[in-house]
Amino acid sequence: MNSPLSKAPWLLARCTQAVIPVAAVADVFRSVAVRAHRLHPTDASLNRSGFASMVFVYLTTAAIALFLVWFSRCRRNAQVLSPGAVTGSGAWAVLAWLIPVVNLWVPRGLVLEVRRASSVGTTETGRDEVLVNVWWAAWAGHTVLTAASQFGGGTSLPLLVVAEVLELAAAVLVVFVIQRITALQSRVLAAGAPVEPLTPAA
């Protein structure tokens, strides 16, 4: 427990929790502006969609960077708390979020591993797994529907509405996921709980 990494990354957590919902809202405005431009292209609609897209890219880049740094810190803490419970390398734990198709499934398991390794000495883990799974279902659903909407030129209103609702839901749920994992690590580290090896989560 004397590792310099054994500290819950609350500042990173708070910054990530603040930026992700803002980026999700920005994506809603971007999607609406882009759809409006595709349906009725004008110079004004082009400017609006271009500006909305630019804001979205900046915010999303910041959200991704903050989340990955937060997750990396929590993962290293999890290795300290429960040696052997976290599988794979640190590089893979980051790349898995960025590789298409792979990022629809693998990161969910990585988050569950970190959550499980961070809950040393606690028994109430079922609710946490449900939270992670519901968040991931919303995020994966948004990703798949957004890709599907491009086959219709990105103008399908039903697909747009469902995809954006799922994105907003995922943005809210990930705030709770971040809060829960960070709080678990903070509680265990503050209590000085003994390190105990765990088997990797299925």
Side-chain angles (χ1 to χ4, degrees), residues 24 27-28 134-146 158-174:
D27 189 33
V28 173
V134 173
W135 158 58
W136 196 254
W139 171 248
H142 160 72
T143 303
V144 171
L145 287 178
T146 299
L159 280 179
L160 174 66
V161 171
V162 175
E164 296 311 314
V165 167
L166 287 174
E167 181 178 25
L168 293 174
V172 172
L173 289 168
V174 77

Side-chain angles (χ1 to χ4, degrees), residues 125-155:
T125 59
R127 188 176 300 177
D128 292 341
E129 292 192 7
V130 171
L131 174 61
V132 171
N133 287 330
V134 173
W135 158 58
W136 196 254
W139 171 248
H142 160 72
T143 303
V144 171
L145 287 178
T146 299
S149 70
Q150 299 309 307
F151 291 104
T155 59

Side-chain angles (χ1 to χ4, degrees), residues 5 7 9 12 69-77 185:
L5 298 175
K7 181 178 180 181
L12 280 169
V69 173
W70 168 83
F71 184 70
S72 295
R73 284 289 305 276
C74 286
R75 185 179 180 279
R76 284 182 284 176
N77 278 350
Q185 292 195 350

Side-chain angles (χ1 to χ4, degrees), residues 10-144:
W10 277 114
L11 180 58
L12 280 169
R14 292 292 183 245
C15 292
T16 308
Q17 288 172 311
V19 175
I20 286 179
V22 175
V25 172
D27 189 33
V28 173
F29 282 102
R30 179 200 64 81
S31 298
V32 171
V34 169
R35 179 178 183 275
H37 176 66
R38 287 173 175 171
L39 291 173
H40 307 288
T42 64
D43 289 341
S45 68
L46 177 62
N47 289 335
R48 283 194 296 271
S49 63
F51 178 75
S53 296
M54 179 184 66
V55 172
F56 164 72
V57 168
Y58 288 148
L59 288 172
T60 300
T61 301
I64 292 172
L66 284 168
F67 180 86
L68 289 178
V69 173
W70 168 83
F71 184 70
S72 295
R73 284 289 305 276
C74 286
R75 185 179 180 279
R76 284 182 284 176
N77 278 350
Q79 290 175 315
V80 173
L81 291 170
S82 304
V86 179
T87 60
S89 66
W92 173 243
V94 172
L95 289 175
W97 296 87
L98 306 175
I99 302 174
V101 182
V102 171
N103 61 9
L104 289 177
W105 181 255
V106 173
R108 167 191 165 274
L110 297 175
V111 173
L112 286 173
E113 282 186 347
V114 170
R115 192 279 311 159
R116 185 166 183 263
S118 302
S119 59
V120 176
T122 64
T123 57
E124 299 178 3
T125 59
R127 188 176 300 177
D128 292 341
E129 292 192 7
V130 171
L131 174 61
V132 171
N133 287 330
V134 173
W135 158 58
W136 196 254
W139 171 248
H142 160 72
T143 303
V144 171

